[in-house]
Amino acid sequence: MRLILLGAPGSGKGTQAERIASRLAIAHLSTGEMLRVAAASKSAFGRDVQAVIERGDLVSDDIVVKIVAERLQKDDVKSGYVLDGFPRTVAQATALDKVLADRGEKLDAVIELKVVAADLVERIVARATQAKACGKEARADDNAKTFIMRLHAYEELTAPLVDYYRSKAVLKSVDGMQSMDAVTAAIRRTIGA
Ligand code: AP5
Ligand code: MG
């Protein structure tokens, strides 16, 4: 099964992608994680990525599309995957369409997680607080100031993908404000898994 989880920062994409990928024994592909790994390398490229993430902007389409296209060449995606955080722009979505078409593949579903902004910022700030309480470093973008930029990028550049995928009749919307287990159950019902 080939799935996309679409949603604002903090909407639960990572949480649910991990659960669904595990349930279906398919790969979980998070562009945010891939970019954080690149940033941690401290190479010149990694430092550029880190700066973009800290601002709450999006990394350029060309870079992200290349990373994902390369990742989709690996063997572990043959039985399917959950894309978490990609695509994030219409340009990324059309690039993915091309990769899929070249392989004679199609998406099974695009799941939109719907959560109101007030809950999103609470979740992000709580995650930073929890990380610090455990003596771990919080994500560089998990603070209220960067969150506003991330949400702005979502609304301006990513939200148009809702209509994009609705027009392709693959969009399924799920109430992301339920408990984590209830959201997982709703996604599973939606995709029949
Ligand atoms: P990315 O890592 O994708 O971050 P994000 O989209 O901003 O969202 P998060 O990972 O913070 O939230 P999530 O939706 O995964 O929710 P989670 O399950 O963690 O991207 C980071 C950055 O990388 C971007 O800003 C950009 O710079 C760059 N980037 C990434 N992809 C890119 C792309 N394609 N193009 C360009 N740039 C890209 O949950 C959040 C919190 O809420 C957790 O603490 C969780 O425990 C809690 N939670 C989850 N579900 C629930 C629930 N139902 N009830 C209560 N709490 C919940
Ligand atoms: Mg995430």
Side-chain angles (χ1 to χ4, degrees), residues 171-193:
L171 186 80
K172 315 275 181 193
S173 294
V174 167
D175 175 6
M177 293 172 61
Q178 312 168 79
S179 70
M180 292 185 206
D181 288 348
V183 176
T184 307
I187 295 173
R188 285 183 50 192
R189 276 196 302 278
T190 297
I191 59 175

Side-chain angles (χ1 to χ4, degrees), residues 7-16 30-33 35-36 52-53 56-61 64 84-88 92 123-124 127 130 139 141-142 150 176-180 183:
S11 59
K13 300 182 298 294
T15 303
Q16 299 300 333
S30 159
T31 44
E33 283 302 325
L35 292 167
R36 280 187 284 279
V52 174
I53 290 175
D57 287 340
L58 295 186
V59 174
S60 79
D61 290 332
V64 180
D84 154 14
F86 180 93
R88 241 170 163 105
Q92 291 180 19
R123 290 182 187 183
I124 295 296
R127 180 165 60 188
Q130 281 159 15
R139 258 173 60 168
D141 55 352
D142 271 355
R150 288 158 69 192
M177 293 172 61
Q178 312 168 79
S179 70
M180 292 185 206
V183 176

Side-chain angles (χ1 to χ4, degrees), residues 13-27:
K13 300 182 298 294
T15 303
Q16 299 300 333
E18 189 180 337
R19 291 175 175 209
I20 297 300
S22 165
R23 168 83 194 170
L24 298 173
I26 57 178

Side-chain angles (χ1 to χ4, degrees), residues 50-69:
Q50 179 74 9
V52 174
I53 290 175
E54 282 178 11
R55 285 201 304 273
D57 287 340
L58 295 186
V59 174
S60 79
D61 290 332
D62 288 352
I63 289 172
V64 180
V65 166
K66 185 166 176 283
I67 290 173
V68 173

Side-chain angles (χ1 to χ4, degrees), residues 149-162:
M149 302 311 293
R150 288 158 69 192
L151 187 61
H152 179 70
Y154 178 80
E155 285 168 350
E156 191 181 355
L157 299 167
T158 312
L161 295 181
V162 172

